Amino acid sequence: MPRRWNASSIIVLTLLAIGILYGIGQHLTSFLIPIIVLGAIFLLYKYPPNTWGTRVRVRQQPYVKQTKTTPRQKPKSRRAPFRVIDGGKDDDDLPKYH
């Protein structure tokens, strides 16, 4: 929400609230049906039907105290598959250090 409300947004929001309250007072069923439909769509989105029949339980394995094992060996470093290719540009006129 904006920190400062300008006059046009206050007027629009006030008229919107008045229109909604007036519409609910005049035609209650015309407001309840879309609310019920949107609520059902939201519930189906939040809890899809394929999860209704199954309940997923997470089983935790019992805690097993680990005994000391041999120290881990450091993985051998691999040589990178990259090579430096000498460039063909001649830099005789440029200084070595900038």
Side-chain angles (χ1 to χ4, degrees), residues 25-57:
Q26 294 295 318
H27 307 286
L28 183 62
T29 57
S30 66
F31 277 92
L32 282 180
I33 292 172
I35 290 172
I36 291 171
V37 169
L38 290 175
I41 290 172
F42 175 75
L43 287 176
L44 287 174
Y45 176 74
K46 189 75 174 168
Y47 305 105
N50 60 359
T51 60
W52 289 350
T54 59
R55 292 191 180 234
V56 178
R57 292 186 182 177

Side-chain angles (χ1 to χ4, degrees), residues 2-16:
R3 292 182 184 217
R4 291 186 176 192
W5 293 89
N6 56 11
S8 62
S9 62
I10 292 173
I11 292 171
V12 168
L13 289 176
T14 305
L15 290 175
L16 179 70

Side-chain angles (χ1 to χ4, degrees), residues 42-92:
F42 175 75
L43 287 176
L44 287 174
Y45 176 74
K46 189 75 174 168
Y47 305 105
N50 60 359
T51 60
W52 289 350
T54 59
R55 292 191 180 234
V56 178
R57 292 186 182 177
V58 177
R59 292 187 180 188
Q60 295 180 349
Q61 295 181 354
Y63 176 74
V64 177
K65 187 174 181 180
Q66 295 179 353
T67 60
K68 275 194 169 182
T69 58
T70 58
R72 289 186 173 181
Q73 294 180 354
K74 202 173 196 181
K76 295 180 181 179
S77 62
R78 295 186 300 168
R79 187 172 175 175
F82 304 110
R83 292 187 320 174
V84 176
I85 300 172
D86 293 330
K89 186 175 179 182
D90 190 22
D91 291 335
D92 290 337

